[in-house]
Amino acid sequence: MSLNTSNTPLCNRRIMLQALGLTVALPSMPAFADKNLARFSDGFVWGVAASAPQTESRAGRGRSNWDTFADTAGAIEDGSTNSLCTEFDQRYPDDLALLADAGIKAFRFSISWPRIQPDGPGTPNVAGLAFYDRLVDAMLERGIAPWPTIFHWDVPVWAGDFRNREIAQHLADYAAIVAGKLGDRVHNWIVLNEPNSVALQGYGTGVHAPGLRSAKAVFAAIHHQNLGQGLALQAMRAALPAGRRIGTTINVAPVRPEGDRVENEAAARLLDTMWNKAFLDPLYGKGYPSSLTPMLSSFVQGGDLAVIATKPDFLGVNYYTRIYARAAGTAFGVTRGEPPANLPRTAYFHVEPDGLIEVLMRLHDDYDAPDLFVTETGFALDDPPPLDGVVEDRERIGYLASYLSAAHAAQKQGARLKGLFYWSATDNWEWGKGFTKKFGLIHVDMISQKRTPKRSLAYYANCIRHNAVT
Ligand code: IFM
């Protein structure tokens, strides 16, 4: 089945998105008169996001779980590996210059754990820390606030995996080292990225590292990531100067039943519990959902839930699309179903801007109205090749406008939304999909490593200038 929507006329998509109650400006249309712009609150943080294992090369770091996975025949869709990615570790000055020119105010990147502790726990790699030192300084020099994520999925091989409880303390020790080194200049931190993706896709469906397919391993990975999150947050608070903010990021998705089969409704409730509530509920002091207790009880020790409930200063939300659930004879009784056929689709996910309002309001209503940042949202498209120094990605602009409008609508409805980071700064290595999915505001030719800005970067720059959806 083709996921390409490039044949859908822009005007049809605009009508469809307007039907969802969202204001959409497509690039071919004149911008709203200034007074009508949907403005965000003052101080709204406009950023871009990326991660070390998707952009940095392997040079100068230890081996990771994702190296092992990527080197396994057949694991990566296009047969690529992560050995070079976008060579961000060498080329970051060029990337930062393009982002600074566009007025990007914040860069969410991740620290590579195997670069800091290549061979084992304890003493860190001086050269690895020095690299992030330079990177942070390079951002600050260009007026870009660094927003590091401590753990964006790359585990050093020596640390094992999340079936084992010890990894939680290893993660906290590593987090404290990084916070101690960069905390004088870095004001905002994110501990984990999407522990739900790691648990379900890495330990359940096996499409991500470490490639396991085991229900028991999923529950171990849920609990040991939650525990590592709490321990790391405590260790970082102790290592950082006062006033620093530490959040954590979860990929929060509304889960809907596929079609109208009644058994899919229970499947959707179960998937919502595992995907969203297994992480959010204990983080906000509600403990684990009771339906999961039997599967988690062998992993939970006295005091764990109090550690996990260490409250972050903000919650990072990655939102791309809703998830559809279908009842199935799998170990979990549920599998991922198909979205309604009429939804527009990018080259990867389908497009549901109103789901972002749903997510942000749910977090506001159910989890103590936390400060929220959309730490990722973005669109993989089959972009045209660069022509005369630019990539004309008009479709991305339309989708981005609709998601920004949704974020704005949630802010108007009371969600304490403080910023948004587009995924991703550049095209990069999309895990098991290799280089086939291109999310960037900047095109990267993966052979020559040449960077070319896309039209969407200029669009995003314009939104930043007006602090509004334009
Ligand atoms: O590329 C990923 C990122 O690493 C985590 N969130 C989803 C993105 C797109 O699939």
Side-chain angles (χ1 to χ4, degrees):
M1 180 178 58
S2 164
L3 297 181
N4 191 335
T5 59
S6 54
N7 292 331
T8 311
L10 287 173
C11 56
N12 289 358
R13 270 181 277 120
R14 179 168 52 113
I15 290 164
M16 191 279 309
L17 292 166
Q18 282 173 339
L20 293 170
L22 296 166
T23 311
V24 180
L26 292 172
S28 53
M29 304 191 311
F32 294 112
D34 199 52
K35 64 181 166 40
N36 291 329
L37 291 178
R39 284 189 193 288
F40 288 90
S41 54
D42 288 349
F44 192 77
V45 176
W46 290 89
V48 291
S51 82
Q54 294 174 272
T55 58
E56 291 179 15
S57 75
R58 292 184 185 181
R61 66 161 171 79
R63 205 165 155 75
S64 80
N65 59 338
W66 270 95
D67 299 346
T68 308
F69 191 74
D71 291 346
T72 306
I76 308 301
E77 198 170 292
D78 62 358
S80 65
T81 74
N82 57 346
S83 46
L84 289 183
C85 293
T86 65
E87 288 184 332
F88 179 72
D89 43 319
Q90 301 298 322
R91 297 171 185 270
Y92 68 88
D94 298 343
D95 291 352
L96 295 182
L98 285 171
L99 296 171
D101 283 352
I104 304 291
K105 300 281 185 281
F107 193 128
R108 176 179 174 233
F109 62 107
S110 82
I111 312 281
S112 161
W113 185 359
R115 195 177 289 288
I116 302 302
Q117 293 182 309
D119 305 314
T123 316
N125 171 24
V126 174
L129 282 173
F131 165 63
Y132 291 108
D133 226 17
R134 289 196 298 278
L135 182 60
V136 161
D137 286 344
M139 289 181 195
L140 293 172
E141 278 159 21
R142 291 166 177 81
I144 299 174
W147 283 61
T149 302
I150 290 290
F151 177 68
H152 198 127
W153 304 0
D154 46 344
V155 181
V157 166
W158 63 261
D161 62 52
F162 285 100
R163 283 172 297 177
N164 303 313
R165 187 178 170 89
E166 300 75 57
I167 195 171
Q169 188 58 53
H170 287 316
L171 180 69
D173 294 344
Y174 145 68
I177 291 170
V178 177
K181 178 73 179 169
L182 304 177
D184 57 335
R185 285 150 292 156
V186 172
H187 290 248
N188 295 284
W189 295 81
I190 294 168
V191 183
L192 300 187
N193 179 70
E194 300 184 13
N196 44 355
S197 303
V198 171
L200 277 92
Q201 295 178 288
Y203 295 77
T205 60
V207 297
H208 282 181
L212 300 174
R213 289 169 199 218
S214 148
K216 188 172 177 207
V218 168
F219 289 104
I222 289 174
H223 184 64
H224 296 145
Q225 285 185 95
N226 285 339
L227 183 63
Q229 146 74 35
L231 290 171
L233 212 153
Q234 292 179 353
M236 291 169 71
R237 279 213 175 115
L240 287 169
R244 302 302 190 241
R245 292 190 300 174
I246 312 172
T248 200
T249 281
I250 298 175
N251 181 330
V252 189
V255 184
R256 295 260 169 100
E258 176 193 72
D260 52 14
R261 280 175 59 212
V262 73
E263 58 270 40
N264 291 347
E265 287 172 19
R269 278 194 299 278
L270 174 61
L271 193 53
D272 178 54
T273 304
M274 292 190 61
W275 185 263
N276 297 310
K277 290 164 77 72
F279 301 88
L280 291 164
D281 284 12
L283 181 62
Y284 283 94
K286 299 178 180 203
Y288 282 116
S290 54
S291 58
L292 301 185
T293 310
M295 286 78 86
L296 286 163
S297 58
S298 63
F299 304 112
V300 180
Q301 297 185 8
D304 285 3
L305 288 172
V307 172
I308 293 170
T310 309
K311 204 169 175 182
D313 299 308
F314 62 87
L315 184 66
V317 182
N318 291 355
Y319 173 79
Y320 290 84
T321 191
R322 290 194 178 92
I323 296 177
Y324 290 82
R326 182 193 307 155
T330 60
F332 299 104
V334 55
T335 189
R336 213 160 163 154
E338 279 297 313
N342 62 347
L343 291 177
R345 292 166 192 241
T346 67
Y348 203 1
F349 307 125
H350 54 281
V351 181
E352 289 186 282
D354 60 327
L356 180 56
I357 308 177
E358 188 178 335
V359 158
L360 295 172
M361 295 318 297
R362 175 182 180 179
L363 295 170
H364 181 78
D365 294 342
D366 293 356
Y367 296 100
D368 299 343
D371 277 359
L372 298 169
F373 289 85
V374 174
T375 41
E376 284 182 27
T377 195
F379 313 93
L381 295 170
D382 296 323
D383 295 319
L387 187 66
D388 298 332
V390 71
V391 171
E392 291 291 353
D393 60 337
R394 298 155 52 90
E395 210 178 351
R396 182 172 286 103
I397 296 174
Y399 293 147
L400 179 52
S402 69
Y403 276 53
L404 289 175
S405 295
H408 180 262
Q411 200 181 58
K412 280 273 168 253
Q413 287 176 36
R416 296 163 60 88
L417 180 65
K418 307 289 179 183
L420 181 141
F421 296 71
Y422 179 83
W423 183 272
S424 186
T426 61
D427 294 337
N428 60 36
W429 191 71
E430 176 59 25
W431 309 109
K433 301 287 178 190
F435 292 112
T436 63
K437 307 297 177 207
K438 300 184 184 311
F439 283 90
L441 296 175
I442 299 169
H443 172 273
V444 178
D445 180 319
M446 296 301 174
I447 310 288
S448 67
Q449 293 285 356
K450 183 175 182 333
R451 272 63 168 160
T452 308
K454 300 183 190 177
R455 193 65 74 190
S456 53
L457 180 64
Y459 169 77
Y460 198 49
N462 199 43
C463 293
I464 296 171
R465 242 187 329 272
H466 291 90
N467 192 33
V469 191
T470 62

